[in-house]
Amino acid sequence: MLEGRKVILGVTGGIAAYKAAELVSRLRAERAAVKVVLTRAAQEFIQPLTMRVLAENEVYTGLFEGSEPLPHVRLAAEADLVVIYPATANLVGQAAWGLASDLLTTLLLTFQGPVVICPAMNAQMYNSTAVQENLRRLKERGYIVVPPETGRLACGEVGPGRLPAPEIVLEVIRGALVPKDLTGLTFLVTAGPTREPLDPVRYITNRSSGKMGYAVARAARDRGARVVLISGPTALPEPHGVAFIRVDTALAMREEVRKNFDAADVVVMCAAVSDYRPKEVHPEKMKKGAAEMAVTFVQNPDILAELGTLKRHQLLVGFAAESGSVLERAREKLRAKQVDLIVANDVRQEGAGFEADTNIVWLVFRDGRFLELPRMDKYLVAQRLLDAVLGLWKGGYGE
Ligand code: C5P
């Protein structure tokens, strides 16, 4: 997704500067072209050579050093995005007040595109009125501020100030660079498993982690859509910038989906909805007794199939986790549930399915076409899915 995009990574002099090396290699792994600017203090923490090797590109250390004096204008004109990782309180202050004392701050004044800034410092410094006011100024000016994490800091204190991991910032960078081509559309996304109670302490569930659905929600958000995410119980953090609704059972999920259906343009049913629920929910904790016991299950409504009969302008996307005859089964599901697109995977494949960070999927269309995607990160799968959704939406998918 970042292939060929030109990123300037500014590194300032904080203990966390070592993490910038990892960010460079992650950006390179996605084939972004990276140029690194190190402030003088940053060079106390990390060597220009490290960055030059990792970025496979020139490293800039000052306004008057290197073969090209005053490179800030050219660097700024070429770049698609500037990310400052980590940003010290000094950098935050200089940027907020438009000071230009070195290459990085000078470059910020000439650069016209998106700037991602990742403050990391001692908790008291971070919480100080001055730093908070400066960050507010930057946000008002359109800078994307990635808040620090709370945890143990280099100074030994515990509090906000830790630099977030490279993958978190990478996602923000991707989000800032993707086209906002879903602006104006509302996405309703479901994710995770459902939980069907047997008694007050026990339930039936499945192994869905919610990662795929959350990735779809984040990717749609990044492309400018309004997103409602209805999630079963998962261990994942609530994504920012989406309307988030937490549910437990299939019936509760159905209710929330129905409530939000009219306002939706695209529904992506990623959730692994339990097909059955225990017929009886015991009001008290069930006691151990006989050597065997039987539980009677009743069928849950098929939320997606119901939407298939209710839909008007909505585009419906379903998921199909299969173990064999994947395309055939996906096509059957497409017809039976009256959906527009099925994302199918073979749960027997390594690197695909419920708990993995990656997925291997087929996108199966109503007209018989299908697209087989290689194994990739679930966020990237989500982006490819959204490309397909947008194609259908623009092409008058329903006719
Ligand atoms: O039939 P199957 O469960 O394989 O279909 C999977 C698709 O149907 C998924 O998109 C899932 O979210 C949806 N589904 C549903 N309600 C159910 C079962 C599945 O909406 N009760």
Side-chain angles (χ1 to χ4, degrees), residues 44 79 162 294 323 369:
E44 300 288 334
R162 273 175 70 89
S323 50
R369 278 182 306 134

Side-chain angles (χ1 to χ4, degrees), residues 26 30 174 209-213 215 218 319 343-361 373-382:
R26 299 292 290 259
E30 297 204 16
R174 286 173 183 156
S209 63
K211 285 178 186 168
M212 191 64 235
R218 295 187 338 249
F319 273 70
V343 185
N345 63 5
D346 188 336
V347 289
R348 297 172 312 180
Q349 277 179 300
E350 190 151 331
F354 275 173
E355 283 155 333
D357 288 323
T358 55
N359 216 347
I360 308 168
V361 306
L373 300 181
R375 182 164 90 101
M376 47 181 153
D377 185 276
K378 284 182 171 170
Y379 181 83
L380 298 181
V381 173

Side-chain angles (χ1 to χ4, degrees), residues 269 271 273 275 301-304 318-319 333 337:
M269 277 294 301
V273 184
D275 288 328
D302 189 315
I303 305 172
L304 185 58
F319 273 70
K333 225 159 263 180
K337 302 199 185 197

Side-chain angles (χ1 to χ4, degrees), residues 156-171:
E157 280 177 32
V158 175
R162 273 175 70 89
L163 188 66
E167 56 266 25
I168 292 176
V169 179
L170 195 62
E171 187 171 317

Side-chain angles (χ1 to χ4, degrees), residues 11-13 39-41 63 84 87-110 115 117 119 121 125 130-138 141 143:
V11 184
T12 66
T39 62
R40 186 179 309 200
L63 275 167
I84 305 177
T88 55
N90 181 51
L91 184 283
V92 169
Q94 294 218 31
W97 292 94
L99 303 181
S101 63
D102 62 2
L103 174 57
L104 186 56
T105 46
T106 311
L107 194 151
L108 282 177
L109 290 178
T110 33
V115 178
I117 189 161
M121 62 199 75
M125 281 171 89
V131 169
Q132 288 302 316
E133 275 179 14
N134 288 338
L135 287 171
R136 203 182 54 243
R137 284 179 86 93
L138 291 177
R141 212 180 288 152
Y143 276 42

